[in-house]
Amino acid sequence: DAGVIQSPRHEVTEMGQEVTLRCKPISGHNSLFWYRQTMMRGLELLIYFNNNVPIDDSGMPEDRFSAKMPNASFSTLKIQPSEPRDSAVYFCASSSGQGGDEQFFGPGTRLTVL
Amino acid sequence: GNSVTQMEGPVTLSEEAFLTINCTYTATGYPSLFWYVQYPGEGLQLLLKATKADDKGSNKGFEATYRKETTSFHLEKGSVQVSDSAVYFCALIKNNNNDMRFGAGTRLTVKP
């Protein structure tokens, strides 16, 4: 079992550029979550999907952030335009989708916006 | 709303010392409770879990008991090792949804 796969593992970009983070959930999992982790704010849920449908995006910081899940095995988180305050580690996680189940995390993408 | 409060860190211990990291929760109904561990440069990994009152989760020498009367799920280990140095997160999830709530995390450093 490959676990949750994220790419890239590290991204360095300049302010104003578009950034796309990618996630492949564990096969058979129906729920997918995007989190952001910073020293100041800890772990924040940005958005989650059930069966490819966004259920709760109240954690998305602003319109510069968007997330899609075109199929059960792929999701993207896009930031356009990026700003230095977006620098953080972004995690993707997946779960079976049955209520109360544990989440399995990917290794994260460390984003630095200069 | 549902939330988790855990002991603020950082916690520094010597090898073979006893560890306790406190976690209390607020939730309606009966949530499932979890401890996750995050090693440097990695994602969160499930350490242990308990799904109902009085359940004890255990793994790698760590234990936590779901205490409904005190709404707590404290993490304990009898003898820590240097390799246990990591950040530990307490979390809860309601059994009828996928909205997991995490505590702020507690950084543990174990010195030889």
Side-chain angles (χ1 to χ4, degrees):
Chain A
D1 186 351
V4 176
I5 298 172
Q6 291 187 247
S7 64
R9 291 295 310 275
H10 302 273
E11 176 81 25
V12 179
T13 191
E14 293 189 345
M15 183 173 63
Q17 296 297 306
E18 177 180 296
V19 174
T20 299
L21 311 181
R22 297 173 176 80
C23 175
K24 177 178 169 56
I26 292 173
S27 177
H29 280 187
N30 296 321
S31 294
L32 182 140
F33 308 81
W34 283 102
Y35 290 90
R36 177 172 67 177
Q37 187 179 40
T38 62
M39 289 293 291
M40 291 296 293
R41 301 173 68 94
L43 194 64
E44 303 172 276
L45 176 66
L46 300 178
I47 185 172
Y48 82 88
F49 296 83
N50 265 1
N51 296 315
N52 313 338
V53 176
I55 301 301
D56 183 358
D57 65 354
S58 59
M60 296 285 262
E62 48 198 275
D63 292 345
R64 296 185 298 106
F65 286 68
S66 63
K68 293 182 179 179
M69 192 164 185
N71 57 61
S73 58
F74 184 65
S75 177
T76 60
L77 178 68
K78 185 177 294 187
I79 308 173
Q80 166 62 19
S82 58
E83 297 182 3
R85 61 192 167 120
D86 302 329
S87 298
V89 181
Y90 291 81
F91 289 104
C92 177
S94 70
S95 73
S96 68
Q98 299 171 15
D101 210 3
E102 66 210 58
Q103 295 179 13
F104 294 80
F105 281 74
T109 295
R110 180 173 294 277
L111 173 65
T112 302
V113 183
L114 303 174
Chain B
N2 303 326
S3 65
V4 169
T5 302
Q6 65 180 99
M7 170 179 163
E8 287 191 21
V11 174
T12 302
L13 296 173
S14 297
E15 206 164 23
E16 298 184 4
F18 184 85
L19 169 71
T20 299
I21 300 178
N22 290 340
C23 171
T24 56
Y25 68 90
T26 301
T28 56
Y30 304 97
S32 292
L33 302 173
F34 305 83
W35 277 100
Y36 280 82
V37 59
Q38 184 179 28
Y39 298 104
E42 299 183 12
L44 279 70
Q45 304 173 24
L46 180 67
L47 180 60
L48 53 85
K49 67 179 183 180
T51 58
K52 61 183 187 297
D54 300 325
D55 268 2
K56 178 187 284 187
S58 61
N59 186 25
K60 299 181 181 179
F62 291 89
E63 292 183 341
T65 301
Y66 190 140
R67 302 281 188 202
K68 184 171 181 293
E69 63 276 15
T70 54
T71 62
S72 65
F73 193 55
H74 304 322
L75 182 69
E76 297 182 337
K77 186 174 185 181
S79 176
V80 293
Q81 305 300 312
V82 172
S83 57
D84 294 327
S85 298
V87 181
Y88 293 82
F89 292 88
C90 187
L92 72 78
I93 194 168
K94 292 294 292 293
N95 290 325
N96 60 355
N97 66 42
N98 290 309
D99 184 9
M100 183 169 274
R101 302 296 175 96
F102 288 88
T106 302
R107 181 176 298 278
L108 169 67
T109 301
V110 180
K111 296 188 173 181

